[in-house]
Amino acid sequence: MNNRKPQRKNHTKSTPNTSPSRRNHKPAGKSGSNRPEAQRRTHTSDKAPAKTYTVQEPAELLSFLVEHVTGMGRNSIKSALARGQVSVNGIPRTVHNFPLEQGQTVALSKEKVAPVVPLTGLRILHEDEAIIVIHKDAGLLSVASAQEQEVTAYRQLTAHVRREHPYNRIFVLHRLDRDTSGVMMFAKSEAIQQEMQQAWKEVVYERTYIALVEGQVKKAEGTITSWLKESKTLKMYSSPYPNDGQHAVTHYKRLQANRHFSLLEVCLETGRKNQIRVHMEDIGHPIVGDKKYGSKSKSIGRLGLHAQVLSFIHPVTGVLLRFESDIPKSFLNPFRE
């Protein structure tokens, strides 16, 4: 497993809830003609102007409102948040623990704002000026090619950041296969993307997956090493020759097993395309639902691969962050009596 220690000082581990924060990006282009439909403004009635409050010190949004808004109980304030009646610096906010900063303006309107287009197949776990960390559902593409027009995590998050400024962008740091669920991350500037990708082995402290595989894995734990190549049919495979392809190392630990299935915790030492899927096939235990790499089982109706933990050193603060997603319930069903 990955036992490296972070090299910077004053690191702390955290597993934040959804907490998008204010961004202040510089324009990344010259034309604003492609303003997305998701970009909205807060609309208030002339007869019922919004009440405004200036933030004097850092606080969470709900706590701030409860303390400063008179004539409304906690439940009424929660309802106002849910209806989109609260904005911070003109941007509608619905998250209870949205972090407020000194000098920001919080507005509470009696009028419901225009609805924000919801995110489909993903939810934001953390957002700040440098990165966005999300949970992606199985079935959602991370990024599509230029020829594909379907909904992707990338396109939705691009529209999301452009709600604050039409020139904002996001940048790919790593990908999850369409049918793999779990934690993944995007950068919010090209400089952050390049910095993190160039030092990926140093800044990424842990990448742990949960894999439901066919058959009973006999060894309690093990390491799989090979050289990965891609065939003309775009299928990855382990080359029989040393140094022929990309070096790939996968560590696994058995969590549960019966005669038909095994649940594994898998830690990546390298992050090659389809690495876990190929290595599980190599040891004779393909991932459930992975027909491309030898699976014959469709018992859970999806690919049995989930990105459970992503831990990394924040590119700006130097703090060690850790995000974890629960094991899908369907992965545990084969072990229930």
Side-chain angles (χ1 to χ4, degrees), residues 50-101:
K51 294 182 179 180
T52 59
Y53 307 85
T54 301
V55 180
Q56 301 297 334
E57 58 184 19
E60 292 186 349
L61 182 55
L62 176 60
S63 299
F64 177 87
L65 291 170
V66 170
E67 180 180 354
H68 291 87
V69 176
T70 58
M72 289 181 69
R74 187 181 184 89
N75 289 337
S76 296
I77 292 174
K78 285 183 176 180
S79 297
L81 279 166
R83 289 192 296 266
Q85 292 173 228
V86 177
S87 64
V88 179
N89 284 4
I91 305 298
R93 299 296 184 186
T94 60
V95 177
H96 293 181
N97 65 346
F98 178 83
L100 299 175
E101 301 174 10

Side-chain angles (χ1 to χ4, degrees), residues 73-202:
R74 187 181 184 89
N75 289 337
S76 296
I77 292 174
K78 285 183 176 180
S79 297
L81 279 166
R83 289 192 296 266
Q85 292 173 228
V86 177
S87 64
V88 179
N89 284 4
I91 305 298
R93 299 296 184 186
T94 60
V95 177
H96 293 181
N97 65 346
F98 178 83
L100 299 175
E101 301 174 10
Q102 184 178 3
Q104 290 181 324
T105 299
V106 178
L108 175 61
S109 172
K110 291 185 178 180
E111 304 294 329
K112 184 177 179 180
V113 301
V116 175
V117 177
L119 298 172
T120 301
L122 67 89
R123 66 180 185 274
I124 296 174
L125 302 178
H126 173 85
E127 181 176 358
D128 57 38
E129 295 182 353
I131 58 171
I132 301 181
V133 182
I134 69 167
H135 175 281
K136 185 188 82 68
D137 292 345
L140 177 68
L141 273 175
S142 298
V143 181
S145 67
Q147 291 74 32
E148 296 173 301
Q149 297 300 317
E150 65 180 287
V151 173
T152 65
Y154 177 85
R155 287 197 175 115
Q156 291 186 79
L157 292 174
T158 296
H160 168 76
V161 299
R162 285 179 175 172
R163 288 184 58 235
E164 290 199 4
H165 197 291
Y167 301 124
N168 282 351
R169 298 173 60 191
I170 63 167
F171 298 82
V172 178
L173 286 171
H174 65 115
R175 306 183 187 208
L176 293 180
D177 294 337
R178 178 202 289 267
D179 295 319
T180 300
S181 57
V183 184
M184 66 178 300
M185 171 174 54
F186 292 86
K188 297 178 74 175
S189 73
E190 189 171 12
I192 293 294
Q193 178 198 41
Q194 292 179 356
E195 176 186 340
M196 293 194 74
Q197 286 186 335
Q198 289 172 4
W200 191 253
K201 290 184 178 181
E202 287 71 39

Side-chain angles (χ1 to χ4, degrees), residues 4 120 255 290:
R4 290 182 290 109
T120 301
L255 300 178
D290 195 1

